[in-house]
Amino acid sequence: MDGYGSWAAERNIADPDSDADNDGWSAFLEYALDRNPTIQDALDVLSVSKNGKEITLQLGGDRAEVSYVIEESADLRNWNVVVERPANGGWPEFVEV
């Protein structure tokens, strides 16, 4: 067993949708973003920096077997995928939107 299965077993987590610390983050999301599932932590999971016309996003976690998707929306109802990092894949170095 590796990845999420090992991580969950080490922490006695049976349900990936559970939220034992009641912080609003499921166990799987805490795993994917490298958070502690037993502490109500309010750490930022995304940092954003801007340099001229370039914006850099940095996630709190980068698990190889997890797919990550970054989306954008002008109205918070309709969403478009900006970039996707497939499981066991790599992030693109540059994305133009």
Side-chain angles (χ1 to χ4, degrees):
M1 187 183 317
D2 61 346
Y4 176 79
S6 293
W7 180 89
E10 289 170 8
R11 290 158 181 80
N12 235 4
I13 297 172
D15 180 2
D17 293 324
S18 66
D19 181 17
D21 57 5
N22 296 308
D23 63 359
W25 299 84
S26 72
F28 184 78
L29 192 55
E30 299 233 33
Y31 168 76
L33 297 175
D34 201 23
R35 297 170 59 96
N36 186 330
T38 63
I39 298 173
Q40 287 187 347
D41 47 2
L43 298 175
D44 292 332
V45 296
L46 175 70
S47 65
V48 180
S49 59
K50 183 178 182 243
N51 183 4
K53 292 184 177 182
E54 182 177 299
I55 296 174
T56 302
L57 304 174
Q58 185 171 6
L59 287 174
D62 191 18
R63 306 282 187 176
E65 75 283 6
V66 175
S67 294
Y68 296 87
V69 178
I70 297 175
E71 298 178 317
E72 67 177 352
S73 173
D75 59 11
L76 299 180
R77 289 182 211 183
N78 301 297
W79 292 86
N80 300 305
V81 173
V82 174
V83 64
E84 182 174 0
R85 203 288 319 257
N88 300 311
W91 285 104
E93 186 172 326
F94 179 78
V95 175
E96 188 172 340
V97 288

